[in-house]
Amino acid sequence: MLDAKFNWQMIPQQPDEQVKEIQEQCQIPPILANLLVARGLANAHDAQLFLKPQLQQIQLPNQLHDMEKAVKRIRKAINEGQKITVYGDYDADGMTATSIMYEALETLGANVNYYIPNRFRDGYGPNQKAYQKIIDDGTKLIITVDNGVTGKNEVAFAKENGVDVVITDHHSIPQELPDAEAIVHPQFPGSEYSFGDLSGVGVAFKVAWALLNEFPSEMLDLVAIGEIADLVSMAKENHALVKLGIQQLQQGLRPGIHALLKIAGVDESNLTSQDISFALAPRLNALGRIADGNDGVKLLTTVSENEADQLAHQVDQCNKERQLLVDQIFKEAKVKALAPDNLTRKTLLIVGHGWHQGVLGIVASKIVEATGKPTIIASVNDGELVAKGSGRSVEGYDLFAALDPHRKLMTAFGGHVMACGMSFMITQVPAIAKVLEEAADQQKLDLNQKPKLRVAGRISPNDVTQELYNAIQKLAPFGPDNDEPMFEIDTPEIVKAQQIGNSNQHLKFGINGQGQVIDVLAFNQGEQLHYFDPGAQVKLAVKLSMNKWRGQKQVQLMLTDGESSGTLILDQRAKRLVPSMFTDQADYIVFNDQLRKNIEGNTAGRVLNGSQPVKGTNSNELVIVDVPESIDELVHVLQLNKGVSEVKLYLYNFKNVHHSDLPTRKHFVRLFQTIRQHGQINLNNQMEDLSNYLQISTEQLIFMTKVFLELRFVTIKNGLLNLASNIHKGELKETETYRKYAKRLQVEQVLIKSDTRSLNEWIQKNLGSN
């Protein structure tokens, strides 16, 4: 049985009056109008502003803490010709934030450059050696973007050397703040700013706006990339910023982004938030993970098409290398995660040797997905004592709060509720692991509680249209607090299930709609193929997607979760039996005596006599090895085992399959009359002629002749068929020959000749699972 990974929560029906108003005035389907009301949009005016944001919805920059101080100090540096260094971060949010700040300062004529820390040399966030290098290069003002709030010691070092620091950041605020010239942060304690979930690029954009004294709409494209990549809230102000930013991106004004999207195969003019999430942001992040994030800023800010093309290919190659590294490290980390000492833990701290430290965060995310546990993946290189790691969390566990009070255990640390970056001496692994586990108890982490999955409503395959897809895109951009709508499809008719991908890691199947088959894709779920065999009774939780190929567009579905109803039926009908088919701890039902003897002693499970079945089984898996003589025998087996969770069907067939239907009474009457009319018939040389004359198969003729023989209606001697001299009344269906043939045909029709869906439905019915 396929268990759902999530706790599906159907969005309740909202007040009809509100739903109808939004549906009619915003021209969207009722299911989406209901979703908007559930998300707090009470009327058509609010909904229209959400669907078509206006600049007036974006708050003025001076509402952010220390904005005036920051602008004053930056302008002083510009006016006095002081060298300014924008100190960024190596992820997509940090690169876009750096690009915005750099471009704004260049526009104002500042003496400015930028510095993206090297993930391996500098680590995450402020770094004293990096600051020293910047100061030695003549910098008098450091402006941090997407980092800095945890740099208490580094800022103090800069001040001791006569250099001021202006911090612009959005990460969780530590207990002790740096003594900076200004800290521009949307969540600063006591701040009047009403939307605290700007990302690093969002804060940088506000500073640029304040410096330029006008709204820099040309920078909104960078805001969209950074905010989506950093998974910040897509509600309120961010929704407006990113929606307008995507419109800017669709114009293709930045050569670097244009070149990268072309390589990624994205239609720039119809770019979506999903394209940024799955095509653009991962490629930029890959550059910072395994190469140099400074090249990312070059790509985003260059005006040269040649340079843009070269850098875009470099970025794409880094992404391919990143994918290979992630696959390799994930396999090794998963083995450690499932080791006995980790199975009993609520949290995971997994340390490897020589793992590429640039992809540890991605691996952590994949381990979280595989285990459901908050996870830190770290690595130490040979000959070194300091490990570097990245953590990812789950709903209900604040990773930052768990580790922040224990900074003494680490040489560097930063992050937020769901993710963190850190370095630590390898000797501190037991202490950090203990802290993580104690925090799980303090925060009352319940790993048995499935994460919630909000479902917008139920649809049928016939509802899956391009019109619905287009309506859904009106709600974009998607992200936290504005999740892409999820829909439930209840037990559709499944066809064409198959594994795809280089190592069959993905799953693809079709569901029947009105006049079409709709493709469903499930990434990294290839091993669940058998749950989606044609005829399977499965509920699907899906999102709509658009498949674009060679100028053609077709709506498809992306599977997020599934849940089977009834017993899992696996159609594995076999033409031959091999030892590997009997390795499960299952109950094997065998009807043929000789076959049963051959299997006994050569399997890990029990071998049971199908003709005399045991009531109930020891296993949740029932395997029907061969076909019975009578369908009633299998019905009896199934009814005795209604509680079984899985039925595997080999249905090996010893006998040749009949290719003809059961003759009707009219066929028998016509054969009898023909024998009477023609007298003696030589079956040795007239069999085919007689079959053709009667318009029946040779197989049917032989069967009917055997029935007549059993009733003593005819005689056969030396191949000569004659009517008996003394015929007594008899019933065709009462003969043993007729009964056996009829039973055999029924077995073949139900168990051998039927398609998978029909067979599964028959099994489910007789198990009482429907």
Side-chain angles (χ1 to χ4, degrees):
M1 182 177 293
L2 177 63
D3 290 325
K5 295 179 291 185
F6 295 90
N7 176 16
W8 299 11
Q9 295 189 339
M10 191 71 65
I11 292 175
Q13 181 61 42
Q14 303 299 307
D16 290 342
E17 186 176 335
Q18 291 174 277
V19 172
K20 188 175 182 181
E21 178 189 357
I22 291 176
Q23 173 200 345
E24 293 177 350
Q25 295 196 30
C26 298
Q27 295 296 295
I28 58 175
I31 197 170
L32 297 182
N34 189 73
L35 176 61
L36 292 183
V37 175
R39 290 181 177 175
L41 301 175
N43 52 58
H45 176 264
D46 292 345
Q48 285 169 340
L49 282 177
F50 177 81
L51 299 175
K52 296 180 179 179
Q54 305 298 313
L55 291 179
Q56 294 83 347
Q57 295 172 253
I58 301 171
Q59 298 179 69
L60 295 172
N62 58 11
Q63 296 180 30
L64 279 162
H65 179 266
D66 273 358
M67 181 63 78
E68 291 183 8
K69 288 183 181 180
V71 170
K72 183 179 179 180
R73 180 62 186 91
I74 295 170
R75 282 181 176 160
K76 178 184 177 183
I78 295 172
N79 293 335
E80 295 179 4
Q82 296 177 358
K83 187 169 185 179
I84 303 172
T85 296
V86 180
Y87 189 96
D89 189 24
Y90 42 67
D91 66 2
D93 189 27
M95 291 179 201
T96 52
T98 302
S99 299
I100 281 179
M101 193 68 74
Y102 176 71
E103 286 185 346
L105 292 171
E106 262 204 332
T107 300
L108 293 169
N111 177 14
V112 60
N113 66 355
Y114 55 84
Y115 184 92
I116 301 293
N118 182 281
R119 180 187 287 266
F120 315 106
R121 183 181 63 247
D122 303 323
Y124 168 77
N127 177 282
Q128 187 168 315
K129 289 183 179 179
Y131 274 25
Q132 181 69 67
K133 180 180 178 181
I134 292 168
I135 293 168
D136 291 345
D137 198 37
T139 293
K140 292 300 179 183
L141 175 64
I142 297 173
I143 304 173
T144 73
V145 292
D146 194 33
N147 76 94
V149 75
T150 60
K152 182 176 182 293
N153 295 333
E154 290 79 9
V155 171
F157 171 79
K159 290 192 73 171
E160 290 170 4
N161 286 272
V163 175
D164 290 334
V165 180
V166 169
I167 294 173
T168 75
D169 199 357
H170 75 114
H171 291 93
S172 298
I173 295 176
Q175 295 175 352
E176 296 185 37
L177 288 168
D179 184 19
E181 284 296 298
I183 300 178
V184 184
H185 195 295
Q187 296 177 14
F188 197 91
S191 170
E192 297 179 1
Y193 200 73
S194 62
F195 185 71
D197 208 16
L198 289 172
S199 75
V201 72
V203 178
F205 177 80
K206 291 299 181 75
V207 176
W209 182 1
L211 285 169
L212 295 167
N213 274 325
E214 62 180 15
F215 187 81
S217 58
E218 71 280 2
M219 296 179 176
L220 284 170
D221 50 2
L222 298 178
V223 175
I225 296 170
E227 295 237 300
I228 288 175
D230 219 49
L231 298 176
V232 292
S233 171
M234 280 296 121
K236 299 181 181 178
E237 184 175 19
N238 279 347
H239 186 81
L241 285 168
V242 175
K243 188 106 173 181
L244 295 169
I246 290 175
Q247 294 172 8
Q248 184 79 7
L249 279 165
Q250 290 170 343
Q251 297 179 41
L253 299 178
R254 290 186 183 267
I257 296 175
H258 175 78
L260 193 56
L261 288 173
K262 184 178 179 181
I263 290 173
V266 174
D267 179 5
E268 195 169 31
S269 61
N270 292 303
L271 179 120
T272 66
S273 57
Q274 295 97 319
D275 292 327
I276 296 174
S277 294
F278 298 110
L280 194 54
R283 284 174 166 80
L284 289 173
N285 281 328
L287 191 64
R289 291 183 184 281
I290 63 175
D292 186 354
N294 287 281
D295 288 336
V297 180
K298 287 181 186 177
L299 176 76
L300 296 172
T301 58
T302 185
V303 294
S304 166
E305 292 185 1
N306 287 335
E307 184 180 37
D309 189 61
Q310 292 174 3
L311 288 168
H313 279 89
Q314 176 185 336
V315 170
D316 190 60
Q317 183 58 39
C318 283
N319 188 53
K320 292 176 181 176
E321 294 175 18
R322 186 268 305 169
Q323 291 171 327
L324 292 174
L325 286 168
V326 168
D327 289 344
Q328 174 189 341
I329 296 171
F330 171 67
K331 289 178 183 178
E332 297 178 26
K334 188 177 180 182
V335 171
K336 292 177 178 284
L338 299 178
D341 57 331
N342 276 327
L343 289 177
T344 58
R345 293 178 57 86
K346 294 181 179 179
T347 62
L348 297 173
L349 173 56
I350 298 172
V351 182
H353 288 83
W355 290 347
H356 196 291
Q357 295 172 346
V359 299
L360 299 181
I362 302 175
V363 175
S365 294
K366 291 173 73 69
I367 294 294
V368 169
E369 184 179 349
T371 65
K373 299 178 180 181
T375 300
I376 293 174
I377 302 292
S379 178
V380 61
N381 295 325
D382 290 340
E384 297 182 1
L385 296 177
V386 176
K388 293 182 180 179
S390 290
R392 298 293 184 268
S393 195
V394 298
E395 185 178 340
Y397 188 83
D398 188 331
L399 194 55
F400 184 84
L403 291 170
D404 186 46
H406 304 278
R407 287 175 176 266
K408 63 181 183 295
L409 298 176
M410 298 166 280
T411 57
F413 173 72
H416 48 80
V417 173
M418 297 298 290
C420 72
M422 61 199 302
S423 299
F424 52 87
M425 296 292 292
I426 197 69
T427 53
Q428 297 289 4
V429 168
I432 296 173
K434 182 179 179 182
V435 163
L436 292 170
E437 205 69 4
E438 288 175 347
D441 293 333
Q442 293 164 4
Q443 298 183 28
K444 298 180 180 179
L445 175 64
D446 182 5
L447 294 179
N448 294 320
Q449 186 173 355
K450 294 180 180 180
K452 298 175 183 176
L453 185 68
R454 300 281 282 172
V455 179
R458 293 185 181 89
I459 60 174
S460 75
N462 295 338
D463 296 320
V464 180
T465 63
Q466 187 162 335
E467 289 73 22
L468 178 58
Y469 171 82
N470 292 338
I472 291 169
Q473 293 307 308
K474 292 181 180 180
L475 277 61
F478 300 117
D481 301 324
N482 186 42
D483 293 331
E484 187 176 352
M486 185 80 60
F487 302 98
E488 178 186 311
I489 301 181
D490 194 0
T491 56
E493 182 181 353
I494 295 177
V495 295
K496 300 188 304 184
Q498 59 183 313
Q499 292 175 323
I500 59 174
N502 294 333
S503 56
N504 291 330
Q505 71 273 35
H506 307 309
L507 172 66
K508 179 181 180 181
F509 58 91
I511 59 173
N512 271 333
Q514 190 171 7
Q516 64 173 336
V517 174
I518 301 160
D519 287 336
V520 185
L521 298 179
F523 291 120
N524 299 310
Q525 297 184 49
E527 73 283 355
Q528 294 190 338
L529 173 66
H530 55 278
Y531 290 112
F532 298 92
D533 280 338
Q537 304 291 302
V538 185
K539 290 194 301 182
L540 311 177
V542 295
K543 296 177 183 177
L544 271 70
S545 173
M546 184 65 68
N547 182 24
K548 302 169 186 175
W549 176 250
R550 294 182 176 177
Q552 300 295 315
K553 294 182 179 180
Q554 184 175 5
V555 179
Q556 61 186 7
L557 297 172
M558 311 303 294
L559 182 70
T560 297
D561 201 9
E563 183 177 37
S564 63
S565 57
T567 303
L568 174 64
I569 312 297
L570 301 179
D571 180 2
Q572 298 182 7
R573 283 176 282 190
K575 293 185 178 180
R576 66 190 186 99
L577 302 175
V578 295
S580 61
M581 298 167 71
F582 300 92
T583 57
D584 291 348
Q585 289 282 351
D587 281 337
Y588 295 88
I589 304 297
V590 188
F591 295 96
N592 180 273
D593 291 336
Q594 185 58 52
L595 178 60
R596 189 168 57 255
K597 292 176 183 178
N598 293 341
I599 296 173
E600 285 175 344
N602 295 303
T603 177
R606 287 196 309 172
V607 180
L608 303 175
N609 186 342
S611 301
Q612 298 176 349
V614 178
K615 184 175 182 179
T617 63
N618 290 342
S619 170
N620 285 325
E621 181 182 351
L622 193 68
V623 182
I624 311 300
V625 177
D626 58 341
V627 297
E629 288 295 322
S630 163
I631 202 71
D632 292 338
E633 292 182 71
L634 181 53
V635 170
H636 186 51
V637 169
L638 296 175
Q639 290 180 347
L640 288 176
N641 294 280
K642 289 185 176 182
V644 71
S645 61
E646 181 177 309
V647 175
K648 189 179 294 183
L649 303 169
Y650 293 159
L651 295 177
Y652 176 66
N653 181 35
F654 284 94
K655 300 180 179 180
N656 292 327
V657 177
H658 292 297
H659 298 288
S660 303
D661 295 330
L662 188 67
T664 65
R665 187 173 187 84
K666 289 182 179 179
H667 288 120
F668 281 98
V669 170
R670 194 175 179 201
L671 173 60
F672 187 88
Q673 291 174 342
T674 301
I675 299 171
R676 172 181 287 171
Q677 292 171 3
H678 292 273
Q680 181 173 275
I681 297 174
N682 189 335
L683 294 178
N684 293 327
N685 52 33
Q686 292 182 301
M687 176 80 74
E688 186 174 348
D689 291 338
L690 180 58
S691 298
N692 293 334
Y693 176 77
L694 297 173
Q695 296 182 332
I696 58 176
S697 68
T698 303
E699 181 183 39
Q700 288 173 314
L701 177 58
I702 293 171
F703 160 67
M704 293 163 67
T705 303
K706 288 181 178 179
V707 172
F708 280 173
L709 279 170
E710 185 175 343
L711 290 171
R712 298 183 181 180
F713 286 0
V714 297
T715 62
I716 299 178
K717 187 174 183 180
N718 297 324
L720 300 176
L721 175 65
N722 289 282
L723 286 180
S725 57
N726 194 12
I727 298 176
H728 299 283
K729 185 178 180 181
E731 183 56 48
L732 299 171
K733 294 182 180 180
E734 296 299 321
T735 63
E736 185 67 18
T737 302
Y738 189 99
R739 286 199 299 266
K740 282 186 176 181
Y741 193 92
K743 287 179 179 179
R744 182 63 190 176
L745 281 179
Q746 186 183 20
V747 167
E748 291 176 1
Q749 181 181 4
V750 174
L751 303 181
I752 299 173
K753 295 180 180 179
S754 60
D755 58 51
T756 296
R757 182 179 181 86
S758 299
L759 177 60
N760 285 6
E761 288 176 349
W762 186 87
I763 297 290
Q764 294 278 13
K765 177 182 177 182
N766 285 283
L767 281 169
S769 299
N770 281 357

